[in-house]
Amino acid sequence: VDPTGSGERRVIMINDVARAFFEAPATRAVCVRLPPEAAQAEDMVGVLQLSLYGTRDAAANFQNEVRRFMLGLGFSQSGYSPSIFFHARKGLRTLVHGDDFVTCGTPEAATWFRAALEGRFEIKTKVVGMDKEESREERVLGRVIRISDTGWEYEADQRHADLVLSLIHI
């Protein structure tokens, strides 16, 4: 249950950011057609100040915003994968995939990080752990993460296995 060998209880916290791309500043001039109720003239357009779903750079802008946010909290970014962050003082390990944050650490450290996330983003949170207010199993990124009395389990999504099997003609 404790990958560090410290004997401290660990949880896995899953955070999903709502409307993620609207959280990142636009990095280039992008004009959009305004809806009729917002336009004061027929040829009027809006210039985006924040990223918008469907624009080419929305995902990259959000990832840059996440990087700034995480580094500002004292996390370091992996040199091997820009999606992985580590907070040495808090002992937190976080994977960021799109608008999903998956974090492993002590319940106290996870609570600290959750409060920081809530201070910056609108999020939905699930916590996998052994306490009664924590879930024993959750889905994240198409996988199942669960904790049992013997430790952590990670299960691939059955839909992926079914898809692979459907492509094989036996």
Side-chain angles (χ1 to χ4, degrees), residues 9 16 19 79 117 119-120 132 134 138 156 167:
R9 188 170 81 81
D16 180 27
R19 297 180 302 279
L117 284 168
R120 174 60 186 89
K132 63 182 175 185
E134 298 163 349
E138 290 293 341
L167 298 174

Side-chain angles (χ1 to χ4, degrees), residues 102-157:
V102 182
T103 302
C104 178
T106 64
E108 297 78 20
T111 298
W112 168 83
F113 185 45
R114 178 180 182 172
L117 284 168
E118 288 173 340
R120 174 60 186 89
F121 304 109
E122 181 182 334
I123 61 170
K124 294 178 191 169
T125 300
K126 302 174 197 169
V127 179
V128 181
M130 295 293 279
D131 275 2
K132 63 182 175 185
E133 70 274 359
E134 298 163 349
S135 174
R136 291 289 187 109
E137 175 180 298
E138 290 293 341
R139 285 189 166 280
V140 61
L141 303 175
R143 277 79 173 168
V144 176
I145 296 175
R146 85 175 53 86
I147 189 168
S148 69
D149 294 333
T150 58
W152 291 97
E153 298 174 8
Y154 177 83
E155 178 182 314
D157 188 338

Side-chain angles (χ1 to χ4, degrees), residues 6-149:
S6 69
E8 293 181 287
R9 188 170 81 81
R10 298 278 190 248
V11 295
I12 294 179
M13 181 174 66
I14 303 161
N15 304 101
D16 180 27
V17 176
R19 297 180 302 279
F21 296 157
F22 299 125
E23 299 289 349
T27 57
R28 63 186 175 96
V30 176
C31 297
V32 294
R33 183 178 306 140
L34 296 173
E37 62 272 12
Q40 295 176 358
E42 190 174 311
D43 62 346
M44 213 172 168
V45 296
V47 178
L48 296 179
Q49 293 181 357
L50 296 174
S51 295
L52 180 66
Y53 285 103
T55 57
R56 284 189 319 236
D57 49 357
N61 290 347
F62 181 69
Q63 292 310 310
N64 288 335
E65 184 63 22
V66 165
R67 181 178 185 277
R68 277 191 295 275
F69 172 75
M70 297 294 279
L71 296 177
L73 289 176
F75 281 84
S76 58
Q77 189 173 29
S78 169
Y80 298 103
S81 172
S83 300
I84 298 174
F85 295 87
F86 177 65
H87 197 292
R89 192 169 51 82
K90 298 283 187 181
L92 291 170
R93 291 164 173 78
T94 299
L95 165 71
V96 181
H97 181 79
D99 62 357
D100 294 312
F101 290 70
V102 182
T103 302
C104 178
T106 64
E108 297 78 20
T111 298
W112 168 83
F113 185 45
R114 178 180 182 172
L117 284 168
E118 288 173 340
R120 174 60 186 89
F121 304 109
E122 181 182 334
I123 61 170
K124 294 178 191 169
T125 300
K126 302 174 197 169
V127 179
V128 181
M130 295 293 279
D131 275 2
K132 63 182 175 185
E133 70 274 359
E134 298 163 349
S135 174
R136 291 289 187 109
E137 175 180 298
E138 290 293 341
R139 285 189 166 280
V140 61
L141 303 175
R143 277 79 173 168
V144 176
I145 296 175
R146 85 175 53 86
I147 189 168
S148 69
D149 294 333

